[in-house]
Amino acid sequence: MTSTVPAPVTRTADGSALQAVLLDMDGTLVDTEGFWWDVEVEVFASLGHTLDDTWRHVVVGGPMSRSAGFLIEATGADIALAELTLLLNQGFEDRIDRTLPLMPGAARLLAELAAYEIPTALVSASHRRIIDRVLTSLGPQHFALTVAGDEVERTKPHPDPYLFAAAGLGADPTRCAVVEDTATGVAAAEAAGCHVVAVPSVAPISPAARRTVVTSLEEVDLAFLRGLITV
């Protein structure tokens, strides 16, 4: 964490007051939302249970405690939350060790933010052990700060992770642009007061005030993000 004092509002020549960019990880920068569901299906199959595909929209984007807890309750599986969490994290790690595809446009966007020295944070509901593994592919040098779901008292959809990240970068949350792929993450960012770019991965997300919806990160660059925050 660099500072907890919000930076003064400064504007670029185009009138932007953007102070920081806060990025979600799974489904936003790396194409892994499907990995989580596949692992959940496999783990519950080993326990003798079949997951209903409609549950995928319930568990996507949330903290491990919520998604795992929901699946235990929905299936009646005889397993403790702590044990299931370990199995899911291990299964996910095994998958990303084999392949970790980046979302289209992710590498270019990270390189551009770094080139223009835009304060950037990675804000994920995934646990620290997962984030650190993924960072080896994303490049830790692209982020001044990373926030894991098991490092805040309340993770997404609560605003805490994004408030924590903004404070850590010395930025005003209302001057931050957030990029998210799920309704859970969007809710967290909007509750924190941030401007949101939604790139839906699993379930549709509708446009709203202070929320712009795009189909791919390839539509997002620094000029686009600066254009969101002009007052």
Side-chain angles (χ1 to χ4, degrees):
M1 184 175 292
T2 56
S3 172
T4 58
V5 179
V9 177
T10 57
R11 290 177 171 79
T12 58
D14 61 4
S16 175
L18 177 70
Q19 291 182 345
V21 176
L22 315 178
L23 302 167
D24 174 55
M25 187 177 76
D26 293 302
T28 298
L29 293 178
V30 289
D31 191 6
T32 51
E33 288 292 10
F35 285 14
W36 282 113
W37 179 247
D38 291 344
V39 169
E40 288 159 352
V41 168
E42 290 174 2
V43 168
F44 276 89
S46 72
L47 298 171
H49 297 276
T50 301
L51 299 188
D52 188 321
D53 195 59
T54 61
W55 296 341
R56 182 174 182 179
H57 298 287
V58 179
V59 301
V60 68
M64 177 73 73
S65 58
R66 189 197 73 180
S67 57
F70 168 83
L71 292 174
I72 290 173
E73 182 176 355
T75 61
D78 184 18
I79 187 171
L81 179 60
E83 182 182 358
L84 178 59
T85 297
L86 288 174
L87 290 175
L88 294 176
N89 274 325
Q90 185 58 60
F92 185 80
E93 288 182 38
D94 290 344
R95 283 181 176 268
I96 63 175
D97 282 345
R98 296 195 297 269
T99 180
L100 184 58
L102 270 60
M103 298 298 287
R108 179 215 24 95
L109 177 60
L110 290 174
E112 183 179 19
L113 294 174
Y116 285 88
E117 300 183 344
I118 304 299
T120 303
L122 185 68
V123 184
S124 176
S126 290
H127 289 187
R128 169 55 58 186
R129 60 184 283 188
I130 298 296
I131 288 180
D132 287 345
R133 297 285 280 272
V134 174
L135 277 173
T136 60
S137 294
L138 286 177
Q141 72 277 8
H142 290 121
F143 305 99
L145 177 70
T146 62
V147 180
D150 56 344
E151 294 175 339
V152 289
E153 184 175 349
R154 301 184 307 170
T155 188
K156 304 172 187 179
H158 298 287
D160 305 35
Y162 283 111
L163 292 174
F164 185 90
L169 295 177
D172 180 343
T174 66
R175 307 293 181 185
C176 294
V178 169
V179 185
E180 273 280 0
D181 73 303
T182 67
T184 300
V186 167
E190 290 181 341
C194 304
H195 292 256
V196 180
V197 178
V199 193
S201 60
V202 175
I205 298 174
S206 300
R210 298 172 65 87
R211 182 197 310 166
T212 303
V213 180
V214 299
T215 59
S216 168
L217 276 186
E218 293 184 314
E219 300 175 44
V220 180
D221 58 15
L222 180 54
F224 179 94
L225 296 174
R226 282 177 168 163
L228 299 175
I229 306 173
T230 58
V231 295

